[in-house]
Amino acid sequence: MIAVLAVTLLAAPPSATAFPLDCAYAARGGELEPHGPCARIEDDVPHIDPAHLARMTFEGGLAEVRIGGAGSCGGIAYVRRDGRAATVFILDNGPDYFREGLVRGLRHGKLIYYDHALRPVLVTGYNWGYPFDHGRAEVCTGCKEQRLDDEHSTMGGGRWAVIDRKGRVRAAARRR
């Protein structure tokens, strides 16, 4: 009896409580639209319900998923067909673009750069940074968002530096 119950529980599909956060994504051939609960966040990493992965549109091996919730329980993520996912910066109302093969995200409030396979390539101690350009990126600690107008903002204040792709400081940055 216990063995039958265990097999039944293991074979049951994940419940909505296992993936309580609402998602929006483009289903095969469709537009970006809400699809109900499909994600959870553990240790600042998104996990997507496999049933939803099977319905997503993948371009270049990645799909965009908007995860509902506040703080670290929400945002935009890229996800691979195998379920590996990473929350990335929001840029122009969508996920950050890959530059020089890397995309930016935050994990536990610290800047991280992921490669196209969504593997962490560079985990930093900074709380914000620009994309890499010619092998260097401007990064900051203690900077804050500053609104320029109703639609645009920039980062200012804090301590700025220029790092290389290995995270080594190469110069002080001019941004303030």
Short mmCIF file of all heavy atoms in Angstrom, two decimals, residues 107-147:
data_model
loop_
_atom_site.label_atom_id
_atom_site.label_comp_id
_atom_site.label_asym_id
_atom_site.label_seq_id
_atom_site.Cartn_x
_atom_site.Cartn_y
_atom_site.Cartn_z
N ARG A 107 22.05 38.38 -8.57
CA ARG A 107 21.79 37.23 -7.70
C ARG A 107 22.20 37.64 -6.31
O ARG A 107 23.34 38.05 -6.10
CB ARG A 107 22.55 36.00 -8.17
CG ARG A 107 22.14 34.78 -7.39
CD ARG A 107 22.48 33.51 -8.11
NE ARG A 107 22.10 32.39 -7.29
CZ ARG A 107 22.66 31.23 -7.34
NH1 ARG A 107 23.61 30.99 -8.21
NH2 ARG A 107 22.27 30.27 -6.54
N HIS A 108 21.25 37.58 -5.38
CA HIS A 108 21.47 38.04 -4.01
C HIS A 108 21.97 39.48 -3.99
O HIS A 108 22.81 39.86 -3.18
CB HIS A 108 22.45 37.13 -3.27
CG HIS A 108 22.00 35.70 -3.22
ND1 HIS A 108 20.83 35.31 -2.61
CD2 HIS A 108 22.56 34.58 -3.72
CE1 HIS A 108 20.70 34.00 -2.74
NE2 HIS A 108 21.73 33.53 -3.41
N GLY A 109 21.43 40.29 -4.93
CA GLY A 109 21.76 41.70 -4.98
C GLY A 109 23.11 42.04 -5.59
O GLY A 109 23.51 43.19 -5.59
N LYS A 110 23.81 41.04 -6.12
CA LYS A 110 25.13 41.26 -6.71
C LYS A 110 25.08 40.98 -8.21
O LYS A 110 24.42 40.06 -8.68
CB LYS A 110 26.19 40.37 -6.06
CG LYS A 110 26.35 40.62 -4.57
CD LYS A 110 26.78 42.04 -4.29
CE LYS A 110 26.91 42.30 -2.79
NZ LYS A 110 27.15 43.69 -2.51
N LEU A 111 25.83 41.78 -8.95
CA LEU A 111 25.90 41.68 -10.40
C LEU A 111 26.56 40.38 -10.82
O LEU A 111 27.58 39.97 -10.27
CB LEU A 111 26.71 42.87 -10.93
CG LEU A 111 27.01 42.91 -12.42
CD1 LEU A 111 25.73 43.12 -13.22
CD2 LEU A 111 28.00 44.02 -12.70
N ILE A 112 25.92 39.73 -11.80
CA ILE A 112 26.46 38.49 -12.35
C ILE A 112 26.29 38.53 -13.86
O ILE A 112 25.31 39.06 -14.37
CB ILE A 112 25.73 37.27 -11.71
CG1 ILE A 112 26.34 35.96 -12.14
CG2 ILE A 112 24.26 37.30 -11.99
CD1 ILE A 112 25.84 34.78 -11.32
N TYR A 113 27.28 38.02 -14.57
CA TYR A 113 27.21 37.92 -16.02
C TYR A 113 27.08 36.44 -16.39
O TYR A 113 27.86 35.62 -15.91
CB TYR A 113 28.47 38.51 -16.67
CG TYR A 113 28.58 40.01 -16.54
CD1 TYR A 113 29.21 40.58 -15.44
CD2 TYR A 113 28.07 40.86 -17.51
CE1 TYR A 113 29.32 41.96 -15.31
CE2 TYR A 113 28.18 42.24 -17.39
CZ TYR A 113 28.80 42.79 -16.30
OH TYR A 113 28.92 44.15 -16.17
N TYR A 114 26.09 36.12 -17.24
CA TYR A 114 25.84 34.75 -17.69
C TYR A 114 26.22 34.62 -19.16
O TYR A 114 26.06 35.58 -19.93
CB TYR A 114 24.35 34.41 -17.58
CG TYR A 114 23.81 34.41 -16.18
CD1 TYR A 114 23.15 35.52 -15.67
CD2 TYR A 114 23.93 33.29 -15.37
CE1 TYR A 114 22.63 35.52 -14.39
CE2 TYR A 114 23.41 33.28 -14.08
CZ TYR A 114 22.77 34.40 -13.60
OH TYR A 114 22.25 34.40 -12.33
N ASP A 115 26.66 33.43 -19.55
CA ASP A 115 26.88 33.17 -20.97
C ASP A 115 25.57 32.71 -21.61
O ASP A 115 24.54 32.62 -20.94
CB ASP A 115 28.03 32.18 -21.20
CG ASP A 115 27.75 30.77 -20.68
OD1 ASP A 115 26.59 30.45 -20.32
OD2 ASP A 115 28.71 29.99 -20.64
N HIS A 116 25.61 32.40 -22.90
CA HIS A 116 24.41 32.02 -23.63
C HIS A 116 23.80 30.72 -23.12
O HIS A 116 22.60 30.48 -23.27
CB HIS A 116 24.70 31.92 -25.13
CG HIS A 116 23.47 31.97 -25.97
ND1 HIS A 116 22.77 33.12 -26.19
CD2 HIS A 116 22.80 31.00 -26.62
CE1 HIS A 116 21.72 32.86 -26.95
NE2 HIS A 116 21.71 31.58 -27.23
N ALA A 117 24.60 29.88 -22.47
CA ALA A 117 24.08 28.64 -21.87
C ALA A 117 23.52 28.90 -20.47
O ALA A 117 23.13 27.97 -19.78
CB ALA A 117 25.19 27.58 -21.82
N LEU A 118 23.50 30.17 -20.05
CA LEU A 118 23.01 30.63 -18.75
C LEU A 118 23.87 30.11 -17.59
O LEU A 118 23.40 29.96 -16.47
CB LEU A 118 21.53 30.28 -18.54
CG LEU A 118 20.59 30.83 -19.62
CD1 LEU A 118 19.16 30.44 -19.33
CD2 LEU A 118 20.74 32.35 -19.75
N ARG A 119 25.14 29.88 -17.89
CA ARG A 119 26.10 29.54 -16.84
C ARG A 119 26.70 30.84 -16.32
O ARG A 119 27.02 31.73 -17.11
CB ARG A 119 27.22 28.66 -17.39
CG ARG A 119 26.77 27.28 -17.81
CD ARG A 119 27.94 26.49 -18.34
NE ARG A 119 28.54 27.19 -19.47
CZ ARG A 119 28.67 26.66 -20.68
NH1 ARG A 119 28.28 25.44 -20.94
NH2 ARG A 119 29.23 27.36 -21.66
N PRO A 120 26.87 30.97 -15.00
CA PRO A 120 27.52 32.17 -14.48
C PRO A 120 28.98 32.21 -14.93
O PRO A 120 29.72 31.27 -14.69
CB PRO A 120 27.42 32.02 -12.97
CG PRO A 120 26.71 30.74 -12.70
CD PRO A 120 26.46 30.04 -13.97
N VAL A 121 29.35 33.27 -15.62
CA VAL A 121 30.72 33.43 -16.11
C VAL A 121 31.52 34.33 -15.18
O VAL A 121 32.69 34.10 -14.94
CB VAL A 121 30.71 34.01 -17.54
CG1 VAL A 121 32.11 34.37 -18.01
CG2 VAL A 121 30.06 33.03 -18.50
N LEU A 122 30.85 35.37 -14.66
CA LEU A 122 31.52 36.32 -13.79
C LEU A 122 30.56 36.74 -12.69
O LEU A 122 29.55 37.40 -12.96
CB LEU A 122 31.99 37.54 -14.59
CG LEU A 122 32.71 38.64 -13.83
CD1 LEU A 122 33.96 38.10 -13.13
CD2 LEU A 122 33.08 39.77 -14.77
N VAL A 123 30.85 36.35 -11.47
CA VAL A 123 30.06 36.73 -10.31
C VAL A 123 30.84 37.84 -9.62
O VAL A 123 32.01 37.65 -9.28
CB VAL A 123 29.85 35.53 -9.35
CG1 VAL A 123 29.05 35.97 -8.14
CG2 VAL A 123 29.19 34.38 -10.08
N THR A 124 30.23 39.00 -9.45
CA THR A 124 30.96 40.15 -8.92
C THR A 124 30.43 40.52 -7.53
O THR A 124 29.40 40.03 -7.09
CB THR A 124 30.80 41.38 -9.84
OG1 THR A 124 29.51 41.94 -9.65
CG2 THR A 124 31.03 41.02 -11.30
N GLY A 125 31.12 41.44 -6.90
CA GLY A 125 30.66 42.01 -5.63
C GLY A 125 29.97 43.35 -5.84
O GLY A 125 29.65 44.03 -4.88
N TYR A 126 29.73 43.71 -7.11
CA TYR A 126 29.12 45.00 -7.44
C TYR A 126 27.60 44.84 -7.47
O TYR A 126 27.08 43.76 -7.68
CB TYR A 126 29.62 45.49 -8.80
CG TYR A 126 31.12 45.66 -8.81
CD1 TYR A 126 31.94 44.69 -9.35
CD2 TYR A 126 31.71 46.79 -8.26
CE1 TYR A 126 33.32 44.83 -9.35
CE2 TYR A 126 33.09 46.95 -8.25
CZ TYR A 126 33.88 45.96 -8.80
OH TYR A 126 35.24 46.11 -8.79
N ASN A 127 26.89 45.98 -7.29
CA ASN A 127 25.44 45.87 -7.32
C ASN A 127 24.83 46.33 -8.63
O ASN A 127 23.63 46.21 -8.82
CB ASN A 127 24.79 46.61 -6.13
CG ASN A 127 25.03 48.09 -6.12
OD1 ASN A 127 26.16 48.54 -6.10
ND2 ASN A 127 23.96 48.85 -6.12
N TRP A 128 25.64 46.79 -9.58
CA TRP A 128 25.13 47.15 -10.90
C TRP A 128 26.29 47.26 -11.87
O TRP A 128 27.43 47.52 -11.45
CB TRP A 128 24.36 48.48 -10.84
CG TRP A 128 23.42 48.62 -11.99
CD1 TRP A 128 22.15 48.17 -12.06
CD2 TRP A 128 23.70 49.23 -13.25
NE1 TRP A 128 21.61 48.46 -13.28
CE2 TRP A 128 22.54 49.11 -14.04
CE3 TRP A 128 24.81 49.84 -13.81
CZ2 TRP A 128 22.45 49.59 -15.34
CZ3 TRP A 128 24.73 50.32 -15.10
CH2 TRP A 128 23.55 50.21 -15.85
N GLY A 129 26.02 47.09 -13.15
CA GLY A 129 27.06 47.25 -14.15
C GLY A 129 26.49 47.35 -15.55
O GLY A 129 25.38 46.89 -15.81
N TYR A 130 27.28 47.94 -16.41
CA TYR A 130 26.92 48.04 -17.82
C TYR A 130 27.36 46.78 -18.55
O TYR A 130 28.20 46.03 -18.04
CB TYR A 130 27.58 49.28 -18.44
CG TYR A 130 26.89 50.56 -18.06
CD1 TYR A 130 27.32 51.32 -16.99
CD2 TYR A 130 25.79 51.01 -18.79
CE1 TYR A 130 26.67 52.49 -16.63
CE2 TYR A 130 25.13 52.18 -18.43
CZ TYR A 130 25.58 52.92 -17.36
OH TYR A 130 24.94 54.06 -17.00
N PRO A 131 26.85 46.57 -19.76
CA PRO A 131 27.32 45.43 -20.55
C PRO A 131 28.80 45.60 -20.91
O PRO A 131 29.32 46.72 -20.91
CB PRO A 131 26.48 45.49 -21.82
CG PRO A 131 25.31 46.36 -21.50
CD PRO A 131 25.79 47.32 -20.44
N PHE A 132 29.43 44.50 -21.23
CA PHE A 132 30.82 44.56 -21.67
C PHE A 132 30.90 45.21 -23.04
O PHE A 132 30.03 45.01 -23.89
CB PHE A 132 31.45 43.17 -21.70
CG PHE A 132 31.96 42.76 -20.35
CD1 PHE A 132 31.15 42.08 -19.46
CD2 PHE A 132 33.26 43.08 -19.97
CE1 PHE A 132 31.60 41.73 -18.21
CE2 PHE A 132 33.72 42.74 -18.72
CZ PHE A 132 32.90 42.06 -17.83
N ASP A 133 31.94 46.00 -23.24
CA ASP A 133 32.21 46.67 -24.49
C ASP A 133 33.72 46.62 -24.69
O ASP A 133 34.47 47.17 -23.86
CB ASP A 133 31.71 48.12 -24.44
CG ASP A 133 31.87 48.84 -25.76
OD1 ASP A 133 31.85 48.17 -26.82
OD2 ASP A 133 32.03 50.08 -25.73
N HIS A 134 34.16 45.93 -25.71
CA HIS A 134 35.59 45.74 -25.96
C HIS A 134 36.30 45.11 -24.76
O HIS A 134 37.40 45.51 -24.38
CB HIS A 134 36.26 47.05 -26.37
CG HIS A 134 35.74 47.58 -27.67
ND1 HIS A 134 34.72 48.50 -27.74
CD2 HIS A 134 36.08 47.29 -28.94
CE1 HIS A 134 34.47 48.76 -29.01
NE2 HIS A 134 35.27 48.03 -29.76
N GLY A 135 35.62 44.15 -24.12
CA GLY A 135 36.23 43.40 -23.03
C GLY A 135 36.24 44.09 -21.68
O GLY A 135 36.84 43.60 -20.73
N ARG A 136 35.56 45.23 -21.58
CA ARG A 136 35.51 45.96 -20.31
C ARG A 136 34.08 46.41 -20.01
O ARG A 136 33.29 46.62 -20.91
CB ARG A 136 36.42 47.18 -20.37
CG ARG A 136 37.87 46.76 -20.47
CD ARG A 136 38.78 47.94 -20.55
NE ARG A 136 40.16 47.45 -20.60
CZ ARG A 136 41.14 47.99 -19.95
NH1 ARG A 136 40.94 49.06 -19.21
NH2 ARG A 136 42.35 47.50 -20.04
N ALA A 137 33.80 46.54 -18.71
CA ALA A 137 32.46 46.98 -18.28
C ALA A 137 32.61 47.93 -17.11
O ALA A 137 33.44 47.72 -16.22
CB ALA A 137 31.60 45.79 -17.89
N GLU A 138 31.78 48.97 -17.11
CA GLU A 138 31.72 49.87 -15.96
C GLU A 138 30.77 49.27 -14.94
O GLU A 138 29.65 48.86 -15.28
CB GLU A 138 31.23 51.25 -16.38
CG GLU A 138 32.24 52.00 -17.23
CD GLU A 138 31.77 53.39 -17.53
OE1 GLU A 138 31.58 54.18 -16.58
OE2 GLU A 138 31.56 53.68 -18.72
N VAL A 139 31.20 49.21 -13.69
CA VAL A 139 30.43 48.62 -12.60
C VAL A 139 30.43 49.56 -11.41
O VAL A 139 31.28 50.43 -11.30
CB VAL A 139 31.01 47.23 -12.20
CG1 VAL A 139 30.88 46.24 -13.35
CG2 VAL A 139 32.46 47.36 -11.77
N CYS A 140 29.47 49.36 -10.50
CA CYS A 140 29.43 50.22 -9.33
C CYS A 140 28.97 49.47 -8.10
O CYS A 140 28.32 48.43 -8.18
CB CYS A 140 28.53 51.43 -9.57
SG CYS A 140 26.79 51.02 -9.73
N THR A 141 29.34 50.04 -6.97
CA THR A 141 28.89 49.59 -5.66
C THR A 141 28.25 50.78 -4.98
O THR A 141 28.82 51.86 -4.96
CB THR A 141 30.07 49.08 -4.81
OG1 THR A 141 30.70 48.02 -5.51
CG2 THR A 141 29.62 48.61 -3.46
N GLY A 142 27.06 50.60 -4.47
CA GLY A 142 26.38 51.69 -3.77
C GLY A 142 25.70 52.68 -4.68
O GLY A 142 25.22 53.71 -4.22
N CYS A 143 25.62 52.41 -5.98
CA CYS A 143 24.94 53.34 -6.88
C CYS A 143 23.43 53.13 -6.76
O CYS A 143 22.97 52.09 -6.31
CB CYS A 143 25.42 53.16 -8.32
SG CYS A 143 25.30 51.48 -8.93
N LYS A 144 22.69 54.13 -7.16
CA LYS A 144 21.23 54.10 -7.06
C LYS A 144 20.63 54.57 -8.37
O LYS A 144 21.22 55.37 -9.10
CB LYS A 144 20.74 55.06 -5.95
CG LYS A 144 21.32 54.78 -4.59
CD LYS A 144 20.61 53.65 -3.93
CE LYS A 144 21.14 53.50 -2.51
NZ LYS A 144 21.20 52.17 -2.06
N GLU A 145 19.42 54.08 -8.64
CA GLU A 145 18.71 54.50 -9.83
C GLU A 145 18.31 55.97 -9.68
O GLU A 145 17.84 56.39 -8.63
CB GLU A 145 17.46 53.64 -10.03
CG GLU A 145 16.68 54.00 -11.27
CD GLU A 145 15.49 53.08 -11.50
OE1 GLU A 145 15.07 52.39 -10.55
OE2 GLU A 145 14.97 53.09 -12.62
N GLN A 146 18.52 56.74 -10.73
CA GLN A 146 18.13 58.14 -10.76
C GLN A 146 17.22 58.36 -11.96
O GLN A 146 17.61 58.10 -13.10
CB GLN A 146 19.38 59.03 -10.86
CG GLN A 146 20.31 58.87 -9.68
CD GLN A 146 21.60 59.64 -9.83
OE1 GLN A 146 22.02 60.02 -10.92
NE2 GLN A 146 22.27 59.85 -8.71
N ARG A 147 16.00 58.81 -11.70
CA ARG A 147 15.02 59.02 -12.77
C ARG A 147 15.41 60.24 -13.60
O ARG A 147 15.70 61.30 -13.05
CB ARG A 147 13.63 59.24 -12.18
CG ARG A 147 13.09 58.11 -11.35
CD ARG A 147 12.80 56.84 -12.07
NE ARG A 147 11.88 57.00 -13.18
CZ ARG A 147 11.70 56.06 -14.10
NH1 ARG A 147 12.37 54.94 -14.06
NH2 ARG A 147 10.86 56.26 -15.08
#
